[in-house]
């Protein structure tokens, strides 16, 4: 293997990497190598089981990245999970297939990324998707499942749909009535993947309806194509850094890897090196390769090849909490109940207009605080610009400000939730020149009080939903946090211990190699090429400039599909 040369080397055989590898290897004379640190999980029941969420956590297919102690959230570290396997995080995620609000993707263009907007991304959401039409499955009749075919693809590699295990006992309809009975009703949304997410819906998942198993990136984009002779995958192989051609230009000529037998070697790339190692790894690989902030690199004796100080900056994640209630009726745990509501600011905050005005006044101070907490590497004036766009999305465009899931299980109802668009930003950086060393990951959860406010308000909203008929009559006492822990009518301070003490990462890290103009902190340009290099790209969740209200994978798949067309020279 050590003297092989490939046209393209894709680092990371995960969600985005396998899309790009698949599409590039459609060109028969183009050779593609995927380097993947994990192994195959094709037959791993912790992966395939559509009810298996969480079973893979803490096993050897979970990177289980640890953050620094989170100073704004009680001081404890968090674990941010990510898949270490062919298929990457799509092999351990929650299967949810929910995109973004159109205005959020349009904001990518508004911030300076020409050509990246909802209209140009929608064809790629559809290209990748193989929606398993629920109208063809009688078992889904009456389950409440709806969709608008105009927004879906039916022939792409990735199977998406509702499971054959979908609950069909009228609960979905009762929840809908409950949402309509709120004092500020949340309407039914026929298709939250249409670019308008606000409302209550039954969402689809990445699964194979017929086989009732998880559909992940490997099952969709690799295994059916594994016989292509121009597509190679090296499993259990760790990429250490990019290697460079001699000369002044930053042109990559390969990747240093440690093979499964422990031997370190270099594999050559004739055309490009494409990073797809995930938002907590790709920026670190750039740093190990000499691309980043010279102050950071020099600490570890790494010579700066390209001075690009925002590598690893602008890390954004969400915070996840959950409420739980007793149920008067026992539920069958082998039934799927994929119910989501996405309230807008006007629906979530009782005082939305005043809150918006107050937040607008605070934005310059927020931007200064974020810049200063991160060493002023991204300028406060640029962060202010991002924040103003985010404010407009929330208070003018009416994007969802929270996601609220509801699932019955046994004698309980659980409701996980999170504020969709926190303002806090942190960073991820290497901690050593050793490529296997853990990175320093600091998302700065709860740094800004709006993020906490959204989390508290979502909890109050859930309490209101559970006291509204007909759900109110079906549910019993609140178990978590329980009224003895957080009394009815509790103020923000009373909620703080629970919210900051019991939250977890929502596992949606992004923006650590942001697609943005270079002068405002970008790491990659609109062709996803790293500034200053002639042939290195990043195609994973790192490049998304703003958080999306849906879950990340659908947008990761779509971005990677578009990236492949860019690399092929079609855009
Ligand atoms: P991804 O992690 O998929 O790929 C990176 C790959 O690179 C991995 O295979 C990794 O092993 C490999 N790699 C890393 N470093 C390497 C190195 N040095 N050498 C070689 N290989 C290396 N989203 C959603 O839409 N719906 C959901 O329900 C959920 N639920 C969810 C639950 C959990 C627990 C997590 C952790 C995440 C989710 N998500 C989600 C998020 C979503 O799954 C995630 O954002 C994307 O899959 C990320 O895709 P990427 O391509 O960016 O990285």
């Amino acid at each position: 293997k050590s003297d092989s040369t490939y046209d393209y080397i894709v680092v990371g055989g995960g969600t985005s990497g396998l899309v790009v590898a698949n599409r590039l290897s459609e060109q028969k004379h183009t050779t593609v190598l995927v380097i993947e640190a994990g192994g195959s999980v094709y037959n791993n029941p912790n992966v395939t089981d559509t009810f298996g969420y969480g079973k893979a956590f803490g096993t050897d297919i979970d990177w289980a990245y640890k953050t620094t102690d989170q100073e704004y959230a009680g001081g404890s570290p968090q674990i941010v999970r990510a898949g270490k396997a062919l298929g990457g995080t799509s092999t351990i995620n929650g299967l949810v297939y929910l995109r973004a609000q159109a205005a959020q993707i349009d904001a990518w263009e508004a911030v300076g990324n020409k050509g990246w907007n909802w209209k140009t991304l929608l064809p790629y959401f559809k290209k990748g998707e193989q929606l398993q039409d629920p109208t063809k499955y009688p078992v889904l009749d009456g389950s409440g499942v709806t969709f608008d075919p105009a927004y879906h693809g039916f022939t792409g590699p990735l199977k998406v749909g509702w499971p054959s295990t979908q609950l069909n006992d009228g609960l979905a309809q009762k929840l809908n009535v409950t949402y309509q009975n709120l004092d500020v009703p949340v309407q039914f949304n026929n298709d939250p993947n249409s670019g308008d997410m606000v409302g209550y819906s039954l969402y689809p998942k990445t699964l194979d309806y017929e086989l009732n198993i998880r559909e992940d990136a490997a099952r969709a984009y690799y295994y059916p194509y594994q016989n292509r002779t121009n597509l190679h995958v090296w499993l259990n192989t760790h990429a250490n850094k990019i290697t460079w051609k001699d000369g002044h230009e930053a042109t990559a000529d390969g990747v240093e890897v440690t093979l499964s037998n422990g031997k370190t070697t270099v594999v050559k790339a004739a055309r490009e090196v494409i990073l797809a190692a995930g938002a907590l790894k790709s920026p670190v690989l750039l740093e190990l390769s000499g691309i980043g902030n010279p102050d950071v690199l020099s600490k570890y004796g790494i010579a700066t090849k390209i001075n690009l100080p925002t590598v690893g900056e602008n890390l954004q994640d969400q915070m996840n909490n959950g409420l739980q209630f007793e149920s008067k009726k026992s539920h069958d745990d082998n039934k799927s109940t994929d119910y989501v509501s996405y309230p807008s600011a006007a629906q979530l905050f009782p005082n939305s207009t005043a809150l918006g005005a107050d937040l607008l006044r605070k934005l310059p101070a927020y931007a200064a605080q974020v810049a200063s907490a991160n060493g002023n590497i991204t300028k406060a004036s640029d962060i202010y610009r991002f924040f103003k766009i985010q404010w407009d999305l929330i208070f003018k465009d009416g994007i969802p400000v929270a996601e609220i899931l509801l699932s019955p299980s046994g004698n309980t109802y659980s409701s996980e939730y999170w504020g969709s668009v926190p303002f806090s930003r942190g960073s991820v950086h290497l901690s050593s020149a050793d490529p296997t060393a853990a990175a320093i990951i600091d998302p700065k959860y709860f740094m800004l009080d709006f993020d906490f406010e959204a989390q508290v308000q979502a909890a109050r909203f859930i309490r209101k939903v559970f006291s509204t008929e007909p759900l109110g009559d079906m549910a019993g006492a609140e178990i978590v946090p329980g009224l003895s822990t957080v009394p009815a009518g509790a103020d923000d301070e009373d909620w703080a211990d629970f919210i900051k003490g019991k939250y977890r990462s929502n596992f949606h890290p992004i923006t650590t190699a942001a697609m943005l103009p270079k002068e405002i902190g970008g790491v990659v340009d609109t062709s996803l090429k790293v500034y200053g290099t002639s042939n290195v790209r990043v195609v994973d969740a790192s490049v998304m400039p703003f958080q999306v209200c849906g879950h990340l994978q659908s947008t990761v798949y779509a971005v990677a599909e578009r990236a492949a067309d860019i690399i092929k020279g079609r855009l």
Side-chain angles (χ1 to χ4, degrees):
K1 280 181 180 173
S2 58
D3 43 39
S4 324
T5 299
Y6 292 85
D7 291 321
Y8 296 95
I9 300 180
V10 178
V11 176
T15 317
S16 54
L18 290 181
V19 174
V20 171
N22 175 309
R23 296 302 185 188
L24 292 179
S25 63
E26 285 174 342
Q27 309 172 117
K28 283 198 180 57
H29 302 294
T30 300
T31 55
V32 180
L33 171 66
V34 176
I35 296 166
E36 170 51 47
S40 167
V41 288
Y42 191 80
N43 291 317
N44 182 333
N46 292 341
V47 170
T48 52
D49 181 0
T50 56
F51 288 103
Y53 184 64
K55 283 189 186 166
F57 296 177
T59 70
D60 61 358
I61 68 164
D62 175 10
W63 285 96
Y65 299 123
K66 193 171 168 195
T67 72
T68 57
D69 293 347
Q70 290 301 289
E71 62 171 305
Y72 307 97
S76 300
Q78 285 285 323
I79 299 294
V80 187
R81 308 205 177 272
K84 184 182 183 181
L86 193 65
T89 303
S90 73
T91 68
I92 67 163
N93 72 16
L95 307 174
V96 180
Y97 185 90
L98 282 164
R99 300 170 182 169
Q101 186 86 359
Q104 290 184 297
I105 307 295
D106 290 343
W108 296 11
E109 184 156 64
V111 75
N113 296 307
K114 199 163 179 293
W116 287 89
N117 56 51
W118 173 257
K119 206 168 152 234
T120 59
L121 202 56
L122 182 58
Y124 291 101
F125 280 112
K126 290 162 82 168
K127 182 178 183 185
E129 183 184 16
Q130 187 186 133
L131 189 78
Q132 300 154 106
D133 183 348
T135 59
K136 295 202 178 126
Y137 302 114
V139 71
L140 293 171
D141 270 0
S143 64
V145 164
T146 57
F147 75 109
D148 181 343
Y151 295 100
H152 293 275
F154 296 87
T155 55
L158 184 73
K159 289 184 177 153
V160 174
W162 292 266
S164 51
T165 51
Q166 187 81 21
L167 182 72
N168 201 345
D169 73 347
L171 175 61
Q173 289 81 352
K174 284 184 190 135
L175 267 178
N176 187 25
V177 175
T178 305
Y179 279 114
Q180 306 319 309
N181 286 343
L182 294 172
D183 40 341
V184 183
V186 173
Q187 68 280 20
F188 184 75
N189 183 343
N190 186 52
D191 193 336
N193 282 312
S194 63
D196 179 10
M197 310 194 76
V198 175
Y200 161 70
S201 319
L202 280 69
Y203 60 84
K205 290 175 152 182
T206 42
L207 52 76
D208 183 319
Y209 178 93
E210 301 290 346
L211 301 177
N212 190 27
I213 56 170
R214 172 192 297 270
E215 177 81 343
D216 58 51
R219 212 170 267 279
Y221 282 91
Y222 177 67
Y223 291 112
Y225 308 90
Q226 62 184 324
N227 291 334
R228 283 182 188 166
T229 53
N230 59 334
L231 172 60
H232 289 186
V233 172
W234 291 1
L235 296 178
N236 304 306
T237 302
H238 192 273
N240 300 335
K241 60 179 176 184
I242 298 165
T243 60
W244 302 104
K245 244 186 199 153
D246 289 342
H248 295 298
E249 238 205 348
T251 300
D253 69 357
V255 178
E256 182 194 290
V257 298
T258 301
L259 303 169
S260 52
N261 63 10
K263 207 178 133 218
T264 294
T265 183
V266 171
V267 54
K268 292 284 181 190
R271 299 182 73 169
E272 296 195 5
V273 172
I274 298 163
L275 298 188
L280 298 177
K281 261 298 170 59
S282 289
V284 177
L285 278 163
L286 289 175
E287 291 181 330
L288 289 163
S289 312
I291 303 177
N293 183 345
D295 292 342
V296 173
L297 305 189
S298 61
K299 265 194 244 169
Y300 309 107
I302 296 171
T304 301
K305 179 87 184 165
I306 298 168
N307 181 345
L308 200 52
T310 52
V311 169
E313 295 297 317
N314 291 304
L315 169 60
Q316 299 168 57
D317 191 8
Q318 298 149 327
M319 295 80 73
N320 181 305
N321 282 103
L323 265 58
Q324 200 179 38
F325 296 80
E326 286 172 357
S327 166
K328 292 181 184 162
K329 176 184 156 188
S330 175
H331 300 277
D332 180 353
D333 285 344
N334 295 314
K335 291 287 177 192
S336 300
T337 48
D338 308 316
Y339 309 141
V340 66
S341 79
Y342 280 116
S344 64
Q347 289 166 327
L348 191 79
F349 299 117
N351 51 349
S352 173
T353 309
L355 184 90
D358 184 48
L359 180 61
L360 189 59
R361 276 190 298 273
K362 283 183 184 161
L363 287 188
Y366 270 20
Q369 193 184 342
V370 170
S372 147
N374 292 297
N376 291 304
I377 292 157
T378 307
K379 291 201 291 279
S381 53
D382 294 328
I383 295 177
Y384 175 76
R385 195 171 151 200
F386 307 147
F387 283 1
K388 180 61 176 45
I389 289 174
Q390 194 162 323
W391 188 92
D392 285 344
L393 286 169
I394 299 172
F395 293 99
K396 285 192 176 161
D397 297 306
I399 64 166
V401 283
E403 169 158 343
I404 289 152
L405 299 166
L406 192 138
S407 51
S409 164
N411 289 313
T412 64
Y413 292 102
S414 295
S415 189
E416 264 185 43
Y417 68 92
W418 56 90
S420 320
V421 278
F423 282 77
S424 303
R425 289 177 179 226
S427 63
V428 51
H429 291 293
L430 80 182
S431 68
S432 158
D434 172 359
T436 60
I440 303 166
I441 301 170
D442 184 3
K444 300 203 188 297
Y445 295 116
F446 293 108
M447 179 167 50
L448 300 172
D449 53 7
F450 174 82
D451 300 352
F452 173 68
E453 187 57 30
Q455 212 67 10
V456 172
Q457 212 46 58
R460 291 194 180 117
F461 178 87
I462 293 168
R463 280 191 169 173
K464 199 164 62 175
V465 172
F466 272 88
S467 62
T468 300
E469 300 310 322
L471 182 62
D473 195 39
M474 295 149 59
E478 182 181 299
I479 304 167
V480 178
L483 296 179
S484 55
T485 307
V486 183
D491 61 18
D492 286 7
E493 228 166 274
D494 289 336
W495 276 103
D497 278 354
F498 168 68
I499 300 255
K500 293 187 176 177
K502 299 278 185 235
Y503 83 104
R504 66 163 169 82
S505 160
N506 202 39
F507 311 139
H508 287 174
I510 57 159
T511 323
T512 51
M515 174 174 64
L516 286 172
K518 186 166 182 239
E519 58 282 6
I520 58 170
V523 172
V524 300
D525 65 16
T526 52
S527 69
L528 306 180
K529 203 175 271 180
V530 177
Y531 287 112
T533 73
S534 64
N535 66 345
V536 177
R537 298 192 213 238
V538 184
V539 297
D540 59 28
S542 322
V543 301
M544 292 187 193
F546 290 107
Q547 191 55 271
V548 291
C549 289
H551 294 229
L552 290 180
Q553 67 171 343
S554 51
T555 305
V556 168
Y557 280 118
V559 167
E561 284 280 12
R562 191 164 193 273
D565 266 0
I566 292 172
I567 299 167
K568 285 172 161 176
R570 293 187 179 169
L571 288 178

